[in-house]
Amino acid sequence: MTTPVCTSASQAQFTRYVRAKGPALLRTARSLTANPCDAEDLLQTALTKTYLAWDRIDDHRALDGYVRRTLVNTRTSQWRRRRVEEYATDELPEPCGHAVAGPDAAEQQAQRDALLRAIARLPARQRAMVVLRYYEDMSEVQTAEALGVSVGTVKSAVSRALGKLREDPELRLG
């Protein structure tokens, strides 16, 4: 039995989807794993699964949720069957992709946790707007439509929220 693959029209749709949503999906994958290389692998696996199921997905308007759920499920499966894949060598491995030297994984996680706590301290309305704008990568117009408010309201509320985050003592650098 062969696995059905996308038709050429479906391939074009899939390609457009990946080009449009790839950066946001990669951010989601990076939030699921501390290693940028693992995040890229996780995203590729989830996109492969999505590609294979493309013609069976009834509502393409719900693709973001489908792919994010696939990312989470794939990561959970990887975690469940994790095994030690690290071996001692005399040579350092090449850095993956475009990774740059920076804080270690524990420091990055501590920074993410501090940011999430600071966002949780924002008023509910500001928190919703910040999450939609920066975590879900929605435009100001999309955020306004989703929350039933004007674009100006989104702009001013997000500006005030970012000001509060800049002043949060837990997020101060140095």
Side-chain angles (χ1 to χ4, degrees), residues 5 8 17-18 35-36 48 67 76 80 88 90 99 102-103 108 111 123 127 131 133 135 139 144 146 165-166:
V5 292
S8 63
Y17 174 78
V18 172
N35 183 324
T48 299
V67 176
T76 301
R80 284 184 180 147
D90 292 333
Q108 288 176 344
Q111 289 173 351
R127 182 175 54 243
V131 167
R133 284 284 291 127
Y135 280 86
S139 69
L165 292 174
R166 281 186 202 98

Side-chain angles (χ1 to χ4, degrees), residues 12-23:
Q13 284 180 325
F14 179 79
T15 300
R16 282 193 302 275
Y17 174 78
V18 172
R19 284 187 180 140
K21 299 294 184 165

Side-chain angles (χ1 to χ4, degrees), residues 1 4 21 37 66 96 112 128 131 135 137:
M1 176 178 196
K21 299 294 184 165
C37 295
Y66 179 92
C96 71
R112 266 183 280 196
V131 167
Y135 280 86
D137 202 31

Side-chain angles (χ1 to χ4, degrees), residues 56-76:
R56 294 190 318 266
I57 299 172
D58 294 328
D59 185 5
H60 281 209
R61 292 172 301 183
L63 276 170
D64 291 350
Y66 179 92
V67 176
R68 283 189 173 94
R69 174 53 47 198
T70 303
L71 282 166
V72 170
N73 290 346
T74 301
R75 181 65 183 130
T76 301

Side-chain angles (χ1 to χ4, degrees), residues 130-143:
V130 167
V131 167
L132 291 176
R133 284 284 291 127
Y134 298 104
Y135 280 86
E136 292 300 322
D137 202 31
M138 288 185 171
S139 69
E140 291 168 338
V141 172
Q142 291 170 321
T143 302

